[in-house]
Amino acid sequence: QVQLLESGGGLVQPGGSLRLSCAASGSIFSIRYMGWYRQALGKERELVANSQSVGSTYYADSVKGRFTISRDNAKKTVHLQMNSLKPEDTAVYYCKAEIMRRYSGGYNTYWGQGTQVTVSS
């Protein structure tokens, strides 16, 4: 059993900040990919940011300069620091990871349940 649990979502005013966290738990051998996606009402799920290896990160143009992704390998967590939030950032944010379970043959993709972020005055 492997689970991804997101936390840190909530209601924030425009210009404010939130820090999302995603913790992986279970029989985990290694994690090679962790990323954040979001899905707003009526829209497709989109990639926000990811981290594949040391020094390798990606940010969507819409969040570049405002969001920062970081990984804590010892705690098997990934964070998304979100600053200067805008109403258009309102969405359900999902954590995605590629994880190799103990004694398994390879990597599988896992998704968290999502955490709501609402930016409104």
Side-chain angles (χ1 to χ4, degrees), residues 3-115:
Q3 288 186 311
L4 301 178
L5 181 61
E6 300 106 329
S7 62
L11 175 65
V12 66
Q13 295 183 351
S17 298
L18 285 173
R19 187 175 189 247
L20 305 183
S21 298
C22 173
S25 62
S27 299
I28 297 171
F29 177 73
S30 67
I31 302 173
R32 73 179 180 186
Y33 172 97
M34 299 192 85
W36 287 97
Y37 294 70
R38 68 186 182 188
Q39 187 167 18
L41 281 175
K43 295 185 177 181
E44 296 290 312
R45 187 173 299 186
E46 64 176 351
L47 174 63
V48 177
N50 67 30
S51 176
Q52 297 188 185
S53 61
V54 176
S56 177
T57 58
Y58 165 86
Y59 297 94
D61 287 341
S62 59
V63 307
K64 197 170 298 182
R66 300 188 296 120
F67 292 10
T68 302
I69 188 170
S70 60
R71 195 195 300 191
D72 186 334
N73 291 322
K75 295 183 178 181
K76 300 175 183 175
T77 61
V78 64
H79 306 280
L80 186 68
Q81 179 66 47
M82 305 185 294
N83 299 325
S84 302
L85 283 163
K86 305 174 181 179
E88 50 263 43
D89 295 318
T90 296
V92 177
Y93 284 70
Y94 297 91
C95 177
K96 177 186 175 183
E98 294 180 359
I99 297 172
M100 181 183 292
R101 298 205 300 165
R102 283 187 172 185
Y103 317 117
S104 73
Y107 289 92
N108 293 112
T109 299
Y110 299 87
W111 288 90
Q113 82 290 343
T115 183

